[in-house]
C-alpha cells in the first residue's frame, strides 16, 4: 500500500480485524487442508462482512507438531497452503478491496526441524549453538530449573545430540526456544520482517510476544498453588508465578528494534501478550515505540463471571486504551457461545453479542475469529479425530484442548459443509447444521450473520463510535444482579447491561436513537432510546438531534 498520511497512521486503532485459521478456512484443491487460494476466493465475503484487516495464522513450512506454530523456515510458504505467488496474489487482491493483511510471526521458538536447531544440535561449538537456550543439567542430572511448558511437562529436554545439556522450550519439545540475547537471532528476525514487508504485508501478529527474553539467572519460578496429578496442563502452568520465564521488561527492547524495522513500511506490530496485569501490559505498548498494540486475551478465556470480565476489560481500557486489540474467541480458546452460556449455546450467543457490542464501542481494534459472525459454538471432533497436542499428549478429561475452535468453516449445507471436497479433511469434525452455514445465513436477513454485520457496519457509518474521544467510561454496580457499563462519546452512548435484571438508563439531554441492540437477533433499530435495557443486552445509542 502507498505511504500513509499522518492522519491515517493510526488507522488500526479503530479497525475491525478478522482472524483466519488458515487450515480450516477453505480448501480449494481437495487435499483437505485450507489454503491461501481459499482466502483469496473469500475476500469479497470478508469485505461484505465489514472487516478492515485479516490476520492469517502461520503459513510457513512446518512438521505440524503444533499446527503451524512450529516453523521450519520463516522465509517460505508451506506447499500445502500455496507458494509465494499465492500470498502475493492474495495481498494484491486484498489491497485492491481496501483490506489489509497481517501474517503471523513466531519468534519465541522455532521447529526442532528448523535448520538453525539442527545445526545447534549437530555442533555444540558452532555458530548456531547459541541460537537456542542450552543449560547444563543439575548435578543429579535433572533439568536446570522447575519451569514447565504450556502443554504439559517440563520446559527442558535433554540434548538429542548427547552433550548432556538441556534446551529450553516453553511449549512442546519440538518447539525449542530461541536465545534472544544473541545478536545474530535479532538480526535474523530483522531480515524476516523485511522480507514479508517487501511482499506487501501490512502488519504482524506476534506469537507468544511475552516470551522472548528470559531472566538471566534462570531461577525456579515461585509456586502459587498446589495441583493434583489429574489437572490439565493449563492449571499446572498457571500454578506457577511466571516471574522468570515470561514478560521480562527486556523483551520490550526487542520490539523497539522491530518498530524501527517496520516503520519505513508503515507496518503494524500486534502482540499476542499473555500478560493479564494491565500495568505490565501497558509497558509493551505505551508510547507506540515498541508494540503498536496487543491482544488482551483474558476476556477470551474467562467464563461468564461478569465481575471478572469487567475488571479485566475496564483495567485494560484504562491503562492501554486504543493500543488494546480486543477479542472474545481465537484459535486457542473455546468459542464464546460455548464458554459463556453455562451449557446453553443460545444464552451463550446472547452473552457473546452483549460483550462484543461493548468491546466494539471501546477504543482499540476488535478482532472477529472466523465463524464468530455465524454465532458458532465449539465444533465437535470425532474421538479418534483429536488433533491438538494438548489433548493428544495429556490423557484425562480436562477441558484444555483447542480443537473445538479449529473445526472448518461451514460454507454450505451438506457433506463437509463446502469446506473441502476431500473425504478426510485434516481434522475429522462433524458437519454443522444448515442454519449454521454462511450460505443459509447470507440468504436470511434475520440471521446472526446479518445482525453481526450490522454491528460492524455501524462502527464505520458512525465513525464517532470508536474515534471520538471517550468522555466517560463508567461502571455502575448496584448489586449482584445489576452490572452496567456505559461508554459515552460526543454523539454515541453504549450501554452494556450484563446483569440479570433489566437496567434503567440515564441518557444525557437531547434526542437519542437506538442504532443497535445486541439481542434479539432481529431487534429493531431507529426508534427513540428506551428508558431501560433488557438483561444481558447491550445497546448503542446515537444522538440524532438536539
Ligand atoms: O499461543 C500462546 C499461548 O498459549 C499463550 O497465549 C499463553 O496463553 C500465554 O503466553 C500465557 O502463558 C500461541 C498460539 O496462538 C498457539 O496456537 C500456539 O500453540 C502457541 O502460541 C505456541 O506457539
Ligand atoms: Ca488445500
Amino acid at each position: 500500500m502507498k505511504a500513509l498520511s499522518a492522519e491515517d497512521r493510526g488507522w488500526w486503532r479503530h479497525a475491525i480485524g478478522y482472524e483466519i485459521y488458515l487450515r480450516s478456512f477453505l480448501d480449494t484443491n481437495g487435499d483437505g487442508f485450507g489454503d491461501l487460494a481459499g482466502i483469496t476466493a473469500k475476500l469479497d465475503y470478508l469485505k461484505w462482512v465489514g472487516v478492515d484487516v485479516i490476520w492469517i495464522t502461520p503459513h510457513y513450512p512446518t512438521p505440524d507438531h503444533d499446527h503451524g506454530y512450529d516453523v521450519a523456515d520463516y522465509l517460505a510458504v508451506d506447499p500445502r497452503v500455496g507458494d509465494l505467488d499465492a500470498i502475493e496474489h492474495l495481498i494484491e487482491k486484498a489491497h485492491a478491496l481496501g483490506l489489509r493483511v497481517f501474517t503471523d510471526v513466531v519468534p519465541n521458538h522455532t521447529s526442532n526441524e528448523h535448520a538453525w536447531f539442527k545445526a545447534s544440535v549437530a555442533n555444540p561449538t558452532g555458530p548456531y549453538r547459541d541460537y537456542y537456550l542450552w543449560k547444563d543439567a543439575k548435578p543429579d542430572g535433572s533439568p536446570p530449573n522447575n519451569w514447565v511448558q504450556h502443554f504439559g511437562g517440563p520446559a527442558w529436554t535433554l540434548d538429542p545430540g548427547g552433550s548432556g545439556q538441556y534446551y529450553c522450550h516453553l511449549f512442546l519439545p519440538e518447539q525449542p526456544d530461541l536465545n534472544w540475547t544473541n545478536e545474530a537471532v535479532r538480526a535474523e528476525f530483522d531480515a524476516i520482517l523485511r522480507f514479508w514487508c517487501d511482499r506487501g504485508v501490512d502488519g504482524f501478529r506476534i506469537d507468544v510476544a511475552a516470551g522472548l527474553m528470559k531472566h538471566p539467572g534462570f531461577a525456579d519460578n515461585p509456586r502459587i498453588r498446589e495441583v493434583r496429578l489429574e489437572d490439565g496442563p493449563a492449571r499446572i502452568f498457571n500454578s506457577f508465578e511466571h516471574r522468570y520465564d515470561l514478560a521480562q521488561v527486556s523483551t520490550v527492547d526487542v520490539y523497539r528494534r522491530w518498530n524501527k524495522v517496520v516503520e519505513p513500511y508503515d507496518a503494524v506490530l500486534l502482540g499476542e501478550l499473555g500478560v493479564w496485569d494491565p500495568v505490565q501490559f501497558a509497558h509493551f505498548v505505551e508510547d507506540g515505540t515498541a508494540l503498536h498494540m496487543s491482544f488482551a486475551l483474558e476476556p477470551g478465556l474467562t467464563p461468564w463471571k461478569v465481575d471478572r470480565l469487567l475488571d479485566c476489560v475496564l483495567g485494560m481500557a484504562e491503562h492501554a486504551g486504543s493500543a488494546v486489540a480486543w477479542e472474545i474467541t481465537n484459535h486457542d480458546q473455546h468459542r464464546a457461545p460455548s464458554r459463556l452460556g453455562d451449557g446453553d449455546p443460545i444464552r451463550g450467543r446472547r452473552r457473546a453479542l452483549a460483550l462484543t457490542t461493548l468491546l466494539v464501542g471501546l477504543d482499540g481494534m476488535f478482532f472477529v475469529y472466523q465463524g464468530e459472525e455465524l454465532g458458532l459454538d465449539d465444533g465437535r471432533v470425532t474421538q479418534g479425530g483429536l488433533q491438538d497436542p494438548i489433548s493428544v499428549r495429556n490423557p484425562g478429561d480436562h477441558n484444555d484442548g483447542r480443537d473445538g475452535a479449529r473445526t472448518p468453516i461451514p460454507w454450505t449445507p451438506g457433506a463437509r459443509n463446502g469446506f473441502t471436497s476431500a473425504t478426510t479433511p485434516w481434522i475429522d469434525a462433524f458437519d454443522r447444521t444448515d442454519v449454521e452455514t454462511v450460505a443459509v445465513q447470507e440468504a436470511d436477513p434475520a440471521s446472526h450473520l446479518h445482525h453481526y454485520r450490522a454491528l460492524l457496519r455501524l462502527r464505520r457509518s458512525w465513525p464517532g463510535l470508536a474515534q471520538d474521544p471517550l468522555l466517560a467510561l463508567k461502571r455502575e454496580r448496584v448489586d449482584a444482579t445489576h452490572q452496567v457499563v456505559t461508554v459515552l462519546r460526543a454523539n454515541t452512548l453504549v450501554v452494556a447491561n450484563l446483569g440479570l435484571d433489566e437496567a434503567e438508563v440515564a441518557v444525557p439531554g437531547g434526542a437519542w436513537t437506538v442504532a443497535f441492540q445486541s439481542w434479539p437477533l432481529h431487534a429493531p433499530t431507529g426508534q427513540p432510546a428506551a428508558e431501560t435495557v433488557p438483561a444481558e443486552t447491550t445497546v448503542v445509542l446515537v444522538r440524532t438531534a438536539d
Side-chain angles (χ1 to χ4, degrees), residues 23 26-38 79-82 419-420:
R23 64 187 59 206
L26 178 63
D27 168 27
T28 56
N29 63 351
D31 64 355
F33 205 86
D35 41 52
L36 294 167
R80 288 174 306 176
V81 305
F419 161 70
T420 183

Side-chain angles (χ1 to χ4, degrees), residues 83 98 113 127 137 143 147 154 168 171 183 218 248 290 381 420 436 444 464 514 528 533 539:
D83 55 18
E113 292 186 26
W147 296 0
C168 177
F171 293 86
E183 169 58 30
F218 283 80
Q248 305 298 304
V381 176
T420 183
E436 289 177 297
D444 175 7
V514 180
V533 177
V539 294

